[in-house]
Amino acid sequence: MKPVEGMDIDLLLALDALLQDRNITHAAGRLGISQPALSARLTRLRALLGDRLFVPAPSGRGVVPTPRAEALTPLIADVLRGIAAVMEPGTFDPTSSNRVFTLALQENPAIMLGPGLARRVRAAAPGLRLRLAVPDRKQIPALLESGDVDIFVGGATDADNGWIGRSLFDDDFATAQRKDHPRGTGPMDLEAFCDHAHLLVSSAGDPFAGVIDKALEAIGRRRFVAMSVQSYAVAPTIIAGSDLLCTLPTRMLRRFDAALDLFTPPVSLKAVAISAYWHPRHQEDLGHRWLREQLFAAAGAVEPS
C-alpha cells in the first residue's frame, strides 16, 4: 500500500462537509472556517485526487459533486468514523468482559490474596478469568513486557527499576501450634521455642535452616527442625495434626486459626513486605487498572490515583 502523501484530516473533513452540504458557504460554516480557507482546501483536494470533485450547480446555488466525489462519499464517511473510533477513550466493562488476567506470585501471597481476590472478581466480573502462576524470576521482565503476565507480586528485592510498584501489605511472623498442644497456651518464651521440634517451609537453599535459624544464631541459640516441606499450603495441615511448631507470616496463619493457636515468636524477625509490580505499558489500560484496584482491595490497601 502506497503512503497517502499530502492528505490530512482537514482535507478529509472539508471533503465530507462539501459532500453533505453541497454549498461552500454552508460547509465552511460547519467547519468553522472562512469560505476562502475552504476553497483553498478544495483546490488541494483537486490536485491530490486529480478530479474537479465539485462543479457549480446549474441553478447557481451551491455545487454538484462529480461522479468521483459521489463514489468517495461512503469511503470518506468510513474513514472519518474510523478516526473518531481511534480518538474515543478506551473502555472496560467488568460485567461483560471475558479477558484473562495472569498474576505471577509465590504460594504464600497467593494463599493470602487469592480468596479475597476471587470473591471480588467473581462478584463484579463473572465472565473474566484469573490465572495465578508461580513466577520464574528470570522470565518475569519479558513476561510483563509482553503482557503474558499482568502483575507480579513479590518483595522489593525481586523488582526491576523500570516497573511500577505499589505496596500491598507488610506482614510480621507468628509461631503456630495445634489446638490442645501439650505445651499449653502460655506465652512462647525463648526456652520453649528452642526446646520444641519445628516444621520449616523451604522452597530453596538449605531445607532445614531459614531466616528464623539465622536470627537464633545471631543470639547464640538454635532450634531443632524436625521436618521440612516446600509448600506453605501443606504446613498448616501438618501443624494441626502434630506437635510440631511452625513460624510463618501471620496473615497466612490467621486463615487457619480455627485449628491453630498463634503466638508471637520470642526472637526478632524482620517483617515481610509484599508489593505488586507491573510494566509501565499497562499503566493506562482500563482493564488492568480495574484488576489492580481489585488486588489492592483484597490486600486491604487502596491504589493511589
Side-chain angles (χ1 to χ4, degrees), residues 39-244:
S39 296
R41 292 183 186 181
L42 178 56
T43 299
R44 289 176 59 196
L45 282 166
R46 285 168 168 165
L48 283 169
L49 299 177
D51 190 270
R52 294 184 65 189
L53 298 175
F54 297 93
V55 298
S59 65
R61 296 181 179 180
V63 292
V64 176
T66 66
R68 174 74 186 282
E70 288 277 15
L72 289 173
T73 300
L75 299 178
I76 295 298
D78 287 344
V79 168
L80 291 176
R81 277 195 296 268
I83 293 173
V86 169
M87 300 305 293
E88 282 291 323
T91 60
F92 175 76
D93 181 5
T95 63
S96 60
S97 176
N98 60 358
R99 284 179 68 170
V100 178
F101 288 110
T102 299
L103 284 75
L105 68 175
Q106 296 290 353
E107 186 182 28
N108 184 26
I111 291 172
M112 291 187 276
L113 296 168
L117 184 59
R119 286 193 300 269
R120 294 186 64 84
V121 170
R122 288 296 302 150
L128 187 146
R129 293 188 288 178
L130 289 177
R131 176 174 176 257
L132 305 188
V134 177
D136 180 336
R137 183 60 191 86
K138 293 181 179 179
Q139 295 185 19
I140 287 296
L143 294 174
L144 283 176
E145 184 172 336
S146 67
D148 291 324
V149 167
D150 294 285
I151 296 176
F152 168 64
V153 176
T157 57
D158 297 319
D160 279 8
N161 291 333
W163 298 344
I164 299 174
R166 295 287 185 272
S167 174
L168 290 175
F169 56 83
D170 291 342
D171 198 11
D172 55 12
F173 285 88
T175 297
Q177 66 180 35
R178 69 174 174 87
K179 297 288 186 181
D180 300 319
H181 193 283
R183 189 192 71 81
T185 57
M188 180 73 69
D189 60 26
L190 189 59
E191 292 298 325
F193 188 84
C194 293
D195 285 346
H196 283 80
H198 291 254
L199 169 72
L200 173 67
V201 179
S202 176
S203 58
D206 188 339
F208 293 101
V211 294
I212 292 98
D213 302 280
K214 291 180 181 179
L216 287 171
E217 184 180 354
I219 58 174
R221 301 300 297 264
R222 295 183 63 187
R223 65 173 181 167
F224 176 61
V225 177
M227 181 178 290
S228 175
V229 297
Q230 289 187 308
S231 171
Y232 281 91
V234 169
T237 303
I238 296 176
I239 303 166
S242 71
D243 291 339
L244 296 174

